[in-house]
Amino acid sequence: MTTRPDFAAAVGQTPLLRLRFASEATGCEILARAEFMNPGGSVKDRTALGLLLDAEQRGALRPGGTIVEGTAGNTGIGLALLGASRGYRTIIVMPATQSREKIDALRVTGAEVRLVPAVPYKDPGHYAHQARALAAQMNAADPGSAWFADQFDNTANRDWHEATTGPQIWEETGGAVDGFVCACGTGGTLAGVGRALKARKGSVTIALADPAGSALASYVNTGELVASGNSISEGIGSSRITANFDGAPIDLAWSIPDDESVPLTHRLLHEEGWCVGGSSGVNVAGAIRLARSLGPGHTIVTVLCDAGTRYQAKLFNPAFLRAKDLPVPQWLDEAFPA
């Protein structure tokens, strides 16, 4: 009998999928880790577990303590579910602009959710700053009662992906991986996987797929943080260099517009049955670009980050898509007639 004893033991047990239409269009093998199959529904379960294990090992979170984090949603969901399984309370500070589905998912976990206005990182009202201040306030009143997870600048995030996600990709491709590409929010996945793969095969190409409105692709290509455009994607992109992103071994970077990524998200669902979120569309767009850059015959790996049901009111809403001047596939129009 094979069993998993708890939530933590189920994290990371995700399959590597072949993406048929992307592979056939490029002549490459385009593969994707199905991170939406994690128990909390996203790749951020991995991040949450790495951060929490590190905190427990360092004694930064006492039994029965409170996890505090600022998050766009998925890391908070992972932390809250892990917390529930290990006896911790969780408080999440979150931008009010995030999808209703993610906000509701957090509340269902039992986490206390504090919604704040979406402001730039330089503003002291930014959700990450507010979460840090809250944990400090709690610890001032009761030392050791709260732990601020700090997913953006706590490099236990990157280190966990380097120790787990990267080696999994290497082993499951038999070392045949030629390129890895994904978007960045914290930078932990791309930096950690990139470091792990480069250590095993120096010629592997690591690429950033950056949503429009983020400054990271500009930084990789020019050394300057310059952003243009905007995106309906949530949880990815940044206007600053986080500690996890800093020094990531990135060879190529592209800014991906929504009118390229969103149709790929729709194709993943309608043609292959994978209901995933907008960041997955950005990642697949990046994988196709990387495949075309390297040429036919290569193996490219990316990540399907979370489920599309967390963004249904946006990604699969014809009225919303039209309001953003994004294409609406006929099957979606037929499913939700005006």
Side-chain angles (χ1 to χ4, degrees):
M1 181 182 296
T2 300
T3 64
R4 307 288 178 192
D6 57 18
F7 186 98
V11 173
Q13 307 303 313
T14 58
L16 192 62
L17 310 175
R18 181 178 188 267
L19 302 184
R20 185 179 63 250
F21 75 77
S23 297
E24 292 174 353
T26 60
C28 289
E29 284 296 292
I30 295 186
L31 312 176
R33 291 218 70 88
E35 294 301 296
F36 62 93
M37 293 185 181
N38 275 303
S42 85
V43 67
K44 294 298 188 175
D45 287 0
R46 291 182 185 259
T47 299
L49 179 58
L51 294 172
L52 185 56
L53 290 176
D54 177 72
E56 290 177 337
Q57 290 163 4
R58 292 186 294 105
L61 181 60
R62 73 187 188 195
T66 300
I67 299 166
V68 181
E69 180 61 317
T71 169
N74 282 333
T75 303
I77 292 168
L79 285 169
L81 292 171
L82 279 164
S85 75
R86 296 163 96 90
Y88 302 119
R89 176 186 175 214
T90 305
I91 302 176
I92 298 300
V93 183
M94 185 178 184
T97 52
Q98 299 306 290
S99 74
R100 174 54 54 184
E101 293 91 341
K102 281 197 293 187
I103 294 169
D104 289 346
L106 265 169
R107 287 178 169 149
V108 165
T109 68
E112 179 183 338
V113 180
R114 301 189 182 188
L115 298 177
V116 299
V119 296
Y121 184 78
K122 63 183 179 181
D123 190 310
H126 186 271
Y127 63 92
H129 300 321
Q130 293 206 44
R132 184 189 299 274
L134 174 60
Q137 179 184 359
M138 294 174 67
N139 284 324
D142 182 6
S145 63
W147 166 64
F148 174 51
D150 195 16
Q151 61 171 321
F152 292 93
D153 294 308
N154 182 345
T155 54
N157 172 354
R158 177 192 67 201
D159 296 344
W160 187 249
H161 284 288
E162 183 175 2
T164 61
T165 318
Q168 281 182 339
I169 290 170
W170 178 260
E171 291 163 10
E172 291 178 21
T173 60
V177 56
D178 299 300
F180 177 79
V181 56
C182 72
C184 286
T186 66
T189 304
L190 186 61
V193 172
R195 286 158 61 115
L197 295 181
K198 287 280 192 182
R200 291 163 171 78
K201 183 178 181 179
S203 63
V204 71
T205 300
I206 305 300
L208 166 67
D210 206 30
S214 172
L216 296 180
S218 167
Y219 178 80
V220 171
N221 291 324
T222 70
E224 300 291 332
L225 284 166
V226 178
S228 62
N230 54 68
S231 174
I232 67 170
S233 299
E234 296 183 19
I236 55 173
S238 182
S239 60
R240 71 181 183 97
I241 304 305
T242 67
N244 282 294
F245 184 88
D246 191 28
I250 301 171
D251 300 299
L252 296 170
W254 300 283
S255 179
I256 308 289
D258 281 354
D259 60 5
E260 179 179 347
S261 64
V262 172
L264 292 174
T265 305
H266 292 152
R267 289 191 70 182
L268 284 167
L269 174 57
H270 195 60
E271 297 180 28
E272 302 196 35
W274 305 120
C275 182
V276 293
S279 58
S280 298
V282 173
N283 287 350
V284 173
I288 290 171
R289 289 195 184 202
L290 180 54
R292 287 175 174 157
S293 174
L294 296 180
H298 292 89
T299 298
I300 311 299
V301 178
T302 190
V303 177
L304 301 182
C305 303
D306 63 2
T309 50
R310 289 189 174 164
Y311 314 92
Q312 184 172 337
K314 295 181 179 180
L315 275 177
F316 304 105
N317 179 346
F320 176 86
L321 294 171
R322 287 196 176 91
K324 298 295 183 180
D325 294 322
L326 293 171
V328 179
Q330 181 179 348
W331 60 266
L332 189 59
D333 248 344
E334 292 172 351
F336 298 98

